[in-house]
Amino acid sequence: MNNQQDWQEKLQKLCKKYNLNIKYLADIINDPKVIPMIRGKSFEMTARDVIQEILSSKYEVKNPRINAQAGLHDMDISIVNKSNQKQYSVECKLAAKGSFRLEKGEPKLRVKCMRSRTLGQKAAQQRAKILNVPETLLQIHNDQYVDSDFDIVVTSIANAFYETDTEKLFYWSPSEEALPLLEKMGIQNQENAFYKMYAAKSKDLIANAENRENRIICTRKTCSDELKKLNREYCNFIPNYPCIYLDKKTGLPFQPWVSIENIETLLH
């Protein structure tokens, strides 16, 4: 059986199992409420394939199936060093839609890096004990990650050059100011942009003193107020939208981000 027959058969079995009318499947997927979830899951699998191809055979890369419970974070991609069984967890986050900007002439885009569900009061109480942070601070950041939730973030930049149409569906539409940078990066179309991926260590994305030089800061005013009450200077949470700053001369990302081809440097 060839690959086309294989996926067609899997799709037919899936639709039959869950009573999905295959005639309307394309319309279902194209719904503005559905397609972001589908694209997110698809990116996890695509990123897995890309990472496995980049890393040597001494690493095993897979998408584990985990049902996340309260206080337990779902793992998008697992990377295991076969020689010592060291495991790294990877969180897949697409760039924020339409987020490309020039900041004083410097290209930047944002990554949508937040929890899909905010923590309720009970879950926040439990998590506060696990993280050893004040519950009041966690309530302010109840949709944000800490560096212990995963080891690495991987993103695709394509969404940063999308716009939304009247039906709230998005489409590839880079601005005029983005075109010189895309040309420098060798990006000619939507697919090229989708496969332009960057990675960063989670510990390099939290708002603390070390990362301030890389322009990682918390922008929540209520956090600042709470930190003053707690006599603390930094919250140590990952911002909802950490920025990727790009060198306008080379198109390469500045620290703490690296091109996906260099992801192995983050595993040491």
Side-chain angles (χ1 to χ4, degrees):
M1 184 180 293
N2 61 38
N3 289 336
Q4 184 172 354
Q5 289 175 319
D6 185 42
W7 74 256
Q8 287 178 336
E9 184 176 308
K10 285 182 179 179
L11 188 58
Q12 288 171 344
K13 286 182 178 179
L14 180 69
C15 289
K16 185 175 181 180
K17 180 178 180 181
Y18 294 106
N19 303 116
L20 303 177
N21 192 329
I22 199 168
K23 180 171 65 173
Y24 301 116
L25 196 58
D27 295 324
I28 293 168
I29 293 174
N30 200 39
D31 187 287
K33 298 187 296 292
V34 176
I35 198 165
M37 294 183 288
I38 299 293
R39 290 186 76 244
K41 181 57 67 174
S42 176
F43 177 53
E44 293 175 18
M45 296 180 176
T46 302
R48 173 203 63 199
D49 292 345
V50 170
I51 293 170
Q52 181 66 84
E53 186 174 346
I54 291 169
L55 295 177
S56 63
S57 58
K58 72 178 183 179
Y59 293 97
E60 179 185 27
V61 185
K62 60 184 179 180
N63 300 114
R65 290 198 174 205
I66 300 175
N67 292 320
Q69 304 296 325
L72 177 64
H73 182 66
D74 196 359
M75 189 185 302
D76 293 342
I77 297 176
S78 166
I79 301 175
V80 178
N81 187 326
K82 296 178 183 178
S83 64
N84 58 18
Q85 296 305 304
K86 170 69 175 176
Q87 179 176 260
Y88 305 87
S89 61
V90 179
E91 183 74 8
C92 295
K93 296 294 185 183
L94 294 167
K97 181 170 60 65
S99 65
F100 174 81
R101 296 286 186 276
L102 289 179
E103 185 178 284
K104 297 180 180 178
E106 184 179 29
K108 77 168 187 177
L109 55 93
R110 299 187 301 162
V111 178
K112 189 177 181 181
C113 191
M114 64 185 73
R115 294 178 173 276
S116 56
R117 294 182 296 273
T118 58
L119 297 171
Q121 184 175 359
K122 185 175 179 181
Q125 289 173 345
Q126 295 173 343
R127 186 165 167 78
K129 292 178 182 178
I130 293 171
L131 298 178
N132 194 28
V133 299
E135 186 182 339
T136 52
L137 190 61
L138 187 58
Q139 288 286 8
I140 292 170
H141 300 280
N142 66 354
D143 62 344
Q144 291 180 252
Y145 296 111
V146 293
D147 59 335
S148 59
D149 286 327
F150 41 80
D151 299 305
I152 295 169
V153 177
V154 168
T155 189
S156 158
I157 71 169
N159 275 15
F161 305 96
Y162 280 28
E163 290 188 12
T164 306
D165 63 19
T166 55
E167 296 181 348
K168 297 185 178 180
L169 295 169
F170 43 86
Y171 61 98
W172 172 252
S173 182
S175 63
E176 287 294 325
E177 63 183 9
L179 295 179
L181 177 70
L182 293 176
E183 183 179 359
K184 198 176 297 292
M185 298 167 77
I187 295 175
Q188 300 176 345
N189 52 47
Q190 174 182 332
E191 185 176 6
N192 293 159
F194 177 72
Y195 281 93
K196 181 65 70 173
M197 301 180 190
Y198 299 134
K201 289 183 179 181
S202 62
K203 74 179 185 65
D204 294 332
L205 294 176
I206 60 173
N208 66 7
E210 284 185 24
N211 297 333
R212 192 172 182 84
E213 65 181 40
N214 289 328
R215 292 174 278 192
I216 304 295
I217 58 173
C218 178
T219 57
R220 292 193 174 177
K221 185 178 184 306
T222 48
C223 175
S224 300
D225 294 340
E226 185 63 25
L227 290 176
K228 290 176 183 176
K229 292 180 186 176
L230 297 170
N231 196 28
R232 292 174 59 176
E233 191 173 359
Y234 299 98
C235 64
N236 291 305
F237 283 86
I238 297 175
N240 287 144
Y241 293 95
C243 291
I244 300 177
Y245 291 89
L246 302 162
D247 188 325
K248 62 182 179 182
K249 295 180 181 178
T250 64
L252 294 174
F254 287 113
Q255 291 183 343
W257 298 90
V258 300
S259 297
I260 194 67
E261 291 79 11
N262 298 319
I263 190 171
E264 191 169 5
T265 65
L266 306 182
L267 304 181
H268 301 302

